[in-house]
Amino acid sequence: MKFNLKALPLAISIALVPTAVFANETTDEKIEKLEQQVATLQAQQTKNLTEKFSFNGFISGAYISSNNSAGYNNATTSSDFSQDSKIGFQGTFNISNQTQAVLQLMMKGENNWDVEAEWAYLSHRFDNGIKIRGGKLRLPLFMYSDYLDVGHAQPFARPPAEVYDQVSFTSYTGGDISYDVEFEDSTLTFQGFGGESIIDNKTSDIELSNIAGLNANWTDLTWTVRGVYGYGNLGGFLLDNTGSPFLTIDDEKSTFLGFGGGYDNGAFLAIAEWTQVEVNGLLPDMESAYLTLGYRINTFTPYVTVAYSKSTDDNERAALPPQLGIPLSLGLNEKRNAYSVGLRWDALDNVALKFDVTYANDFGDTSGGLSGNSFNPSTGEFMLDDTLVYTVKFDAVF
């Protein structure tokens, strides 16, 4: 026998209403009154749920192409509409006035639009101002870590790869704790974090354990200053072009140090970040930085970005036996400068159209960190020494 759940509220209501109430009413009048009561209860339940639940999202669509197949941002000479295209949905459920559950689901063109959870955590803010979160979180290493996929929140077409690609994972499973120190016109936020993560892609199969770090961020909404330090242990394999392991990483300690700052008075904006990644063993130590300047003219914001990245321990791999040192140097040494010129047009309050041209060069005797720049044994040099990437993109929030 099937039990009709929709009839349950009606049955309960009937049971709760005193028999005497119906003494002088016809059957149709009784049913009509009970249906009104059930409708009222359902409306109240819906209102309560709406007040507790909020939903928003964002979407980006992009066209990118390059003058060659060096692989900057995975661009090639063919038109690509997937690499920087994505859509995300985020739901927030207020369990209480101080406790929330947050879930953000992402679908990216570069990952064949597979559904992935970027955020999935429970948070609670105590009366003393301390906030704790647990679950799957963004690793807070960069100024735009919290908005890494929300292109509308960024002035440029994409965060500079020279800095943001140095750490190949963006989220971790664990928790964090933060505390805001309020001044008269500014806020200083301390945040500690810890957990673990896994990097599983075409070039690596690595597990990160014992991740821990601390960052501090001060802002008065015009000036922003930020510093972060983190460390963790790496274990796993780097993979070659066939997907086979070519370098074992045996629980190597790594550290991350970063400083950033920004200025935005509503018209002029400046953003800069400097990062340093150091890893024990044969993996490269990296240093990188960028500076972005922009100026808003009504709904248009032209901007320029200058960035660089370089490995700082090439001498360690050069000191290895040639049969090991040469292939590792060719694969891991990196040097690159990049220059971007772009324009953001805020076509609507929640829709921005962006145009960007990025030129990367000065690779030295390295591939520039670009996977498509292969080594030519006959010349003893890499095939390409620069690349030019074009991007047209829209970013929207809803």
Side-chain angles (χ1 to χ4, degrees):
M1 181 180 68
K2 294 182 178 179
F3 185 77
N4 190 341
L5 290 176
K6 292 183 178 180
L8 182 58
L10 182 60
I12 295 174
S13 299
I14 293 173
L16 293 176
V17 177
T19 306
V21 173
F22 304 122
N24 298 318
E25 297 177 349
T26 65
T27 300
D28 290 343
E29 289 174 337
K30 295 174 187 175
I31 292 175
E32 182 179 357
K33 182 177 292 185
L34 290 172
E35 288 178 341
Q36 290 176 351
Q37 292 174 344
V38 171
T40 300
L41 289 172
Q42 290 178 334
Q44 291 175 344
Q45 292 175 346
T46 301
K47 181 181 179 181
N48 291 337
L49 183 62
T50 302
E51 291 175 348
K52 288 185 175 182
F53 183 78
S54 62
F55 175 84
N56 51 42
F58 50 89
I59 183 171
S60 296
Y63 157 85
I64 64 173
S65 184
S66 173
N67 68 330
N68 55 40
S69 296
Y72 191 101
N73 194 41
N74 292 324
T76 67
T77 53
S78 300
S79 301
D80 189 321
F81 294 90
S82 297
Q83 176 62 29
D84 284 341
S85 298
K86 63 190 73 172
I87 184 170
F89 303 97
Q90 179 167 313
T92 302
F93 187 79
N94 296 310
I95 299 173
S96 71
N97 291 333
Q98 296 172 291
T99 306
Q100 292 182 326
V102 176
L103 174 65
Q104 184 186 96
L105 298 178
M106 282 291 308
M107 289 167 282
K108 298 181 180 180
E110 61 177 316
N111 296 333
N112 298 318
W113 300 102
D114 292 338
V115 179
E116 302 172 353
E118 292 292 336
W119 295 96
Y121 66 85
L122 188 69
S123 71
H124 181 80
R125 182 178 292 279
F126 295 92
D127 293 335
N128 58 8
I130 292 177
K131 183 179 181 180
I132 60 172
R133 302 186 301 175
K136 187 172 185 180
L137 302 161
R138 284 284 193 191
L139 194 66
L141 298 181
F142 305 106
M143 294 186 67
Y144 287 95
S145 285
D146 283 351
Y147 315 101
L148 199 56
D149 290 314
V150 188
H152 192 269
Q154 305 164 11
F156 21 59
R158 71 183 70 86
E162 287 67 31
V163 169
Y164 280 75
D165 284 0
Q166 296 307 325
V167 178
S168 54
F169 66 108
T170 59
S171 60
Y172 70 103
T173 302
D176 68 9
I177 180 170
S178 59
Y179 181 70
D180 295 337
V181 181
E182 299 290 347
F183 300 102
E184 183 175 354
D185 296 315
S186 63
T187 303
L188 175 62
T189 301
F190 295 99
Q191 181 185 28
F193 55 91
E196 61 186 19
S197 187
I198 294 176
I199 304 172
D200 186 8
N201 53 36
K202 295 179 181 178
T203 60
S204 58
D205 182 4
I206 297 175
E207 181 176 351
L208 296 100
S209 58
N210 302 322
I211 299 172
L214 174 69
N215 69 56
N217 187 89
W218 175 87
T219 183
D220 64 356
L221 301 182
T222 299
W223 291 92
T224 299
V225 180
R226 188 176 188 278
V228 57
Y229 175 80
Y231 68 87
N233 290 78
L234 305 179
F237 307 93
L238 292 186
L239 309 177
D240 60 20
N241 293 334
T242 66
S244 300
F246 81 91
L247 179 65
T248 300
I249 304 167
D250 185 16
D251 197 29
E252 303 288 0
K253 181 180 178 181
S254 65
T255 60
F256 179 93
L257 181 64
F259 295 100
Y263 175 80
D264 190 341
N265 65 1
F268 178 75
L269 66 89
I271 312 154
E273 288 187 84
W274 173 90
T275 64
Q276 180 187 72
V277 179
E278 294 187 346
V279 185
N280 290 346
L282 300 177
L283 291 179
D285 299 338
M286 297 296 301
E287 178 186 291
S288 59
Y290 75 87
L291 169 66
T292 294
L293 302 175
Y295 191 81
R296 296 185 181 89
I297 306 171
N298 296 321
T299 58
F300 295 93
T301 307
Y303 66 85
V304 294
T305 297
V306 178
Y308 78 89
S309 62
K310 63 178 181 180
S311 51
T312 58
D313 59 347
D314 297 355
N315 58 322
E316 294 184 10
R317 286 175 289 279
L320 297 171
Q323 64 273 21
L324 178 61
I326 291 177
L328 286 178
S329 296
L330 293 176
L332 300 178
N333 293 358
E334 178 179 332
K335 185 175 184 296
R336 184 173 81 223
N337 293 339
Y339 311 90
S340 298
V341 177
L343 175 68
R344 169 180 173 140
W345 172 40
D346 287 279
L348 300 171
D349 288 341
N350 60 342
V351 178
L353 189 62
K354 300 174 181 176
F355 307 88
D356 182 282
V357 177
T358 295
Y359 176 69
N361 69 347
D362 196 16
F363 300 162
D365 56 355
T366 77
S367 67
L370 304 176
S371 59
N373 192 8
S374 56
F375 182 73
N376 187 343
S378 61
T379 63
E381 297 179 349
F382 284 91
M383 300 291 290
L384 303 167
D385 53 17
D386 63 8
T387 187
L388 189 63
V389 180
Y390 313 93
T391 303
V392 179
K393 182 183 181 189
F394 73 83
D395 294 309
V397 293
F398 52 89

